Amino acid sequence: MTKKSISKILLYFILTLGGIIMIVPFLWMIVTALKTGSETAKIPPTLIPQNPQWGNFIKAWNAAPFLRYFLNSTFVMIVTTIGQIITTILGAFAFARLEFYGKKTIFILCMATMMVPSEMLIIPNFVTLSKLGMINTYAALIVPWLASFFAVFTLRQTFMTIPDELYYAAKIDGTSDWYFLWRIIVPLSKSTIVALATLEMIGSWNSFMWPMIATNSDKMRTLPVGLSAFTTDAGTQYQLLMAASTIIVIPMIVIYVFLQKYIIAGVTRSGLKG
Amino acid sequence: MDVKFENVSLAYEHKNEVLHDLRFVIPKGKLTCLLGPSGCGKSTTLNLISGLLQPTAGKIFFGEQDVTKKDALARKVGMVFQNYALYPHMTVLENICFPLKMKKIDKKKRNERGENLARLVHVENELTKYPGELSGGQQQRVAIARALAKEPSILLLDEPLSNLDARLRVEMREEIRRIQKQTGVTTVFVTHDQDEAMHISDYIMVLDNGQIQQFADPNTIYDYPDNLFVASFIGNPVINKIPFSILRQDFSPIIPMTINEKAETLLIRAESIVPIRDHQEHLGVKLQGKVVSVQRYGHEMFVRLDVQGQELMVTGFKERDLLEKQQILEFTLRTNGVFIANSDKEVIWNATSV
């Protein structure tokens, strides 16, 4: 056997291992979703459900107002993502390109907020929103996530790689800062913006703690909170929990597959030398 | 349009002055080079013309109009940058038409103009490509077309050829010359390459330390440098500089007493050191030096001579003028390319005056 084929085998082995690690939890979720209640507790666990319970999906969907949760999650995800991307683009442009009094100080202060653990913000945020009378509204689910300094910082770094000359050229050609930002900088930073939007969509879709605290009625609940319906004092109905989880995960997989293609297509073409 | 600077100074943060009291007129319809070593203020001067920078003192005129307070857009300048600064996500045609789009000229008209400009700079077959798919030279052509699209009052080029390889650089400088002649647009070209400046310009402004050293046409700059800096910055190989005292005796008969007293440095261009039998006019001096080395590069002969402890670079000798294993070489000097500078580094004597 040649050296080359050994390294190839090794490579495939590592990749396969990585693939298995990624895929097993998914498979386990789907397998569990198809089991009966008693089969989920069997030791040793069965790898293939003895009698696939396709009805679990319907049962899970009907166990709680999941359609409402689904619409809530979708609405919140779309609004927070769009809102956050807009504030991020504006903030990143200001820090990357504009000159204003106190720019450095403000930037450092914002950086400092990234060091505050998010758990610490839950109580202050809750107090603030309840004083504003916003608890148990969409505003409670959306407003706290409309700005993310992590996103601003990431995008600022991308904006800063765009050479000054392009800015000067655009100025000479007659663009305003506003036009330059939306028609030149943003298209050139497409891949970073899409990546940030993807992260925010996944984060919003999966967020549990905040929606749990900020809402108190079924009308406002989101999907991850809804999943807790399967955990009662009498124990957890794993087969239904997994069936519901499977349904919830599907939109994320679709988004990911779609945007992944987009990210690759969006890799910026270079038009600058030097 | 001609560009006039009246006592223009620029200081950053009101601390160190970058440009001191510049006064000049860049003539209309000509190609003028701003030439100097890096940090001399040439790009800064260009940015003052463009309006991307504002002077701390003084006034700038375009023709009769005072544009000191106007920005780049109002001055209607066209600019080409060293790294081309094309918009990577737009096609060649969109790039060229971009300034027209900003002027809200309708699509049909601007595309027509864009195509004409593309023909002028020879990129008419690349209109639908993106900048990333073009070679450096083609990108530069597109950048020039874009700068010309809005019919600029002045075309500014900031080291436009520095990113190209040597052969392309020569080709593109001829192209820039042709485009400038064809359009008649007043052009200001920044470079640190004296050879480029000599080949392309109608006028050269030599800058150093934020001050104009000399502003004249290329041949005047070469033949009549005002000072030691200009004499040594222009020309390749670099002009020979030796203390005048070494050859004072040889020069005394041919220069006036007043010059002799103040003479500090003798400057001799490498090609002005020639065999005594050379048929061109030469100075009545007969000198000799020891051959240190002889090197031939293609059609060029480089001879290093030791003249009383000073090394001189000589290119005025042909292979046939050099006898084999010759140790001592006799030579004379031509009447052009020999200068004397005083202790203030000003040229006070030029051999052409003999």
Side-chain angles (χ1 to χ4, degrees):
Chain A
M1 222 186 306
T2 62
K3 219 174 166 185
K4 217 173 169 183
S5 61
I6 292 176
S7 73
K8 210 168 187 180
I9 288 171
L10 200 69
L11 184 72
Y12 274 94
F13 177 74
I14 293 168
L15 287 176
T16 310
L17 207 68
I20 289 170
I21 291 170
M22 301 304 277
I23 234 160
V24 161
F26 271 99
L27 285 179
W28 194 246
M29 175 177 76
I30 294 165
V31 166
T32 310
L34 293 171
K35 288 178 179 174
T36 60
S38 54
E39 197 182 348
T40 59
K42 232 180 189 170
I43 291 173
T46 49
L47 288 179
I48 295 162
Q50 287 156 340
N51 188 10
Q53 303 289 308
W54 297 102
N56 279 350
F57 290 102
I58 297 160
K59 252 190 244 167
W61 187 258
N62 290 330
F66 271 107
L67 184 63
R68 177 77 198 192
Y69 297 165
F70 184 82
L71 293 176
N72 285 348
S73 273
T74 309
F75 177 71
V76 169
M77 174 182 79
I78 290 171
V79 177
T80 48
T81 305
I82 291 173
Q84 194 183 96
I85 288 303
I86 291 171
T87 58
T88 299
I89 287 170
L90 295 175
F93 181 71
F95 283 125
R97 186 59 63 198
L98 301 181
E99 290 305 325
F100 53 90
Y101 183 75
K103 175 171 159 180
K104 253 192 186 151
T105 319
I106 295 171
F107 187 73
I108 290 166
L109 280 175
C110 290
M111 286 284 276
T113 65
M114 290 200 337
M115 289 157 204
V116 179
S118 57
E119 288 82 359
M120 267 181 66
L121 294 173
I122 288 177
I123 294 169
N125 275 350
F126 182 82
V127 172
T128 313
L129 289 185
S130 63
K131 280 194 177 143
L132 292 169
M134 280 157 80
I135 292 303
N136 206 33
T137 62
Y138 284 124
L141 295 174
I142 291 166
V143 173
W145 314 112
L146 281 182
S148 150
F149 191 73
F150 167 74
V152 172
F153 179 74
T154 309
L155 196 56
R156 166 186 175 264
Q157 300 306 103
T158 306
F159 284 0
M160 284 185 18
T161 62
I162 293 171
D164 291 349
E165 281 85 356
L166 211 57
Y167 182 63
Y168 297 140
K171 281 262 124 140
I172 287 175
D173 287 346
T175 65
S176 58
D177 276 352
W178 184 255
Y179 188 99
F180 176 68
L181 170 61
W182 293 102
R183 302 303 288 273
I184 293 167
I185 289 198
V186 167
L188 291 181
S189 312
K190 205 157 58 182
S191 44
T192 308
I193 293 171
V194 171
L196 287 171
T198 313
L199 281 181
E200 176 50 24
M201 277 192 265
I202 294 171
S204 168
W205 191 260
N206 289 342
S207 74
F208 172 73
M209 188 67 103
W210 179 252
M212 175 87 167
I213 292 166
T215 63
N216 51 33
S217 72
D218 273 350
K219 239 175 59 199
M220 286 292 138
R221 289 260 144 106
T222 57
L223 286 170
V225 182
L227 287 182
S228 63
F230 300 107
T231 304
T232 61
D233 294 343
T236 304
Q237 290 177 282
Y238 284 109
Q239 75 285 17
L240 297 185
L241 181 62
M242 289 303 143
S245 300
T246 308
I247 298 170
I248 290 172
V249 158
I250 289 167
M252 280 301 103
I253 293 172
V254 172
I255 286 177
Y256 190 76
V257 168
F258 173 71
L259 289 184
Q260 193 191 32
K261 245 171 80 182
Y262 194 73
I263 290 167
I264 292 163
V267 171
T268 10
R269 292 168 287 252
S270 160
L272 290 150
K273 219 179 167 182
Chain B
M1 212 171 308
D2 55 339
V3 179
K4 190 162 80 179
F5 269 43
E6 268 186 18
N7 311 82
V8 170
S9 295
L10 181 84
Y12 285 124
E13 314 260 314
H14 300 281
K15 271 184 259 161
N16 44 342
E17 253 191 1
V18 185
L19 297 173
H20 320 272
D21 197 26
L22 290 188
R23 293 169 227 202
F24 60 81
V25 177
I26 288 172
K28 181 164 118 181
K30 301 286 184 193
L31 198 157
T32 303
C33 260
L34 305 182
L35 174 68
S38 55
C40 71
K42 57 192 189 297
S43 286
T44 312
T45 307
L46 192 78
N47 282 333
L48 283 171
I49 300 174
S50 72
L52 290 171
L53 277 178
Q54 298 283 330
T56 2
K59 281 184 174 173
I60 298 167
F61 293 88
F62 279 15
E64 294 299 304
Q65 203 189 5
D66 182 351
V67 295
T68 316
K69 296 271 174 265
K70 291 190 171 166
D71 67 8
L73 184 59
R75 292 185 192 185
K76 296 199 195 110
V77 295
M79 192 149 172
V80 176
F81 296 88
Q82 185 178 351
N83 62 7
Y84 323 138
L86 296 174
Y87 309 117
H89 60 302
M90 297 182 194
T91 63
V92 166
L93 186 62
E94 284 167 344
N95 262 288
I96 297 174
C97 295
F98 189 73
L100 301 173
K101 190 176 171 189
M102 289 297 101
K103 276 171 110 182
K104 306 216 159 50
I105 288 168
D106 69 67
K107 198 167 180 177
K108 209 180 138 208
K109 232 184 197 165
R110 69 175 190 246
N111 281 349
E112 199 179 302
R113 242 190 92 60
E115 281 161 25
N116 282 336
L117 283 164
R119 266 192 291 279
L120 173 73
V121 300
H122 301 327
V123 290
E124 64 270 32
N125 298 325
E126 327 289 340
L127 292 178
T128 54
K129 286 189 185 163
Y130 288 94
E133 301 170 76
L134 303 180
S135 68
Q138 286 172 319
Q139 291 190 36
Q140 191 58 270
R141 288 165 190 267
V142 175
I144 294 169
R146 182 180 65 181
L148 289 171
K150 56 178 173 182
E151 296 180 321
S153 54
I154 291 157
L155 178 63
L156 306 171
L157 302 121
D158 191 359
E159 306 221 10
L161 306 178
S162 312
N163 281 344
L164 302 176
D165 61 61
R167 194 169 286 250
L168 202 53
R169 200 177 304 168
V170 172
E171 185 190 319
M172 277 310 290
R173 79 179 180 212
E174 301 304 325
E175 277 294 283
I176 290 174
R177 192 68 185 131
R178 173 184 69 80
I179 294 163
Q180 192 273 330
K181 283 234 166 92
Q182 216 166 321
T183 55
V185 63
T186 310
T187 304
V188 183
F189 185 105
V190 165
T191 181
H192 58 257
D193 181 345
Q194 55 88 24
D195 186 50
E196 200 167 284
M198 291 297 283
H199 277 87
I200 203 173
S201 345
D202 291 312
Y203 295 98
I204 297 177
M205 183 191 298
V206 184
L207 288 156
D208 188 41
N209 279 326
Q211 274 165 330
I212 299 175
Q213 302 298 319
Q214 193 167 359
F215 186 15
D217 65 273
N219 291 337
T220 304
I221 296 245
Y222 193 78
D223 293 337
Y224 302 92
D226 279 349
N227 57 42
L228 206 124
F229 177 80
V230 175
S232 43
F233 195 73
I234 308 280
N236 189 27
V238 175
I239 197 163
N240 293 297
K241 272 177 287 204
I242 55 172
F244 182 73
S245 52
I246 289 180
L247 297 176
R248 191 181 294 273
Q249 283 193 338
D250 301 279
F251 270 82
S252 289
I254 57 167
I255 61 171
M257 265 311 281
T258 47
I259 300 291
N260 199 339
E261 281 161 12
K262 291 181 201 148
E264 174 99 4
T265 314
L266 181 63
L267 299 154
I268 310 167
R269 295 216 185 271
E271 74 272 18
S272 299
I273 301 174
V274 292
I276 292 180
R277 286 173 306 280
D278 182 62
H279 58 273
Q280 294 199 37
E281 241 188 296
H282 37 74
L283 293 169
V285 288
K286 197 172 161 188
L287 305 163
Q288 53 176 240
K290 221 170 101 194
V291 177
V292 179
S293 71
V294 179
Q295 276 161 317
R296 183 176 159 235
Y297 306 102
H299 63 94
E300 293 170 313
M301 287 287 296
F302 286 82
V303 182
R304 280 175 195 281
L305 278 186
D306 183 321
V307 178
Q308 297 179 40
Q310 297 288 320
E311 201 164 280
L312 292 183
M313 174 61 84
V314 179
T315 57
F317 278 76
K318 298 268 182 293
E319 213 166 357
R320 63 181 142 80
D321 302 322
L322 295 163
L323 301 171
E324 230 176 305
K325 288 185 184 163
Q326 191 173 15
Q327 289 298 306
I328 304 295
L329 200 61
E330 292 202 317
F331 63 92
T332 185
L333 304 173
R334 279 189 190 157
T335 52
N336 56 348
V338 182
F339 320 107
I340 292 171
N342 65 11
S343 54
D344 292 331
K345 300 186 173 164
E346 290 160 349
V347 171
I348 50 171
W349 183 80
N350 189 324
T352 50
S353 63
V354 173

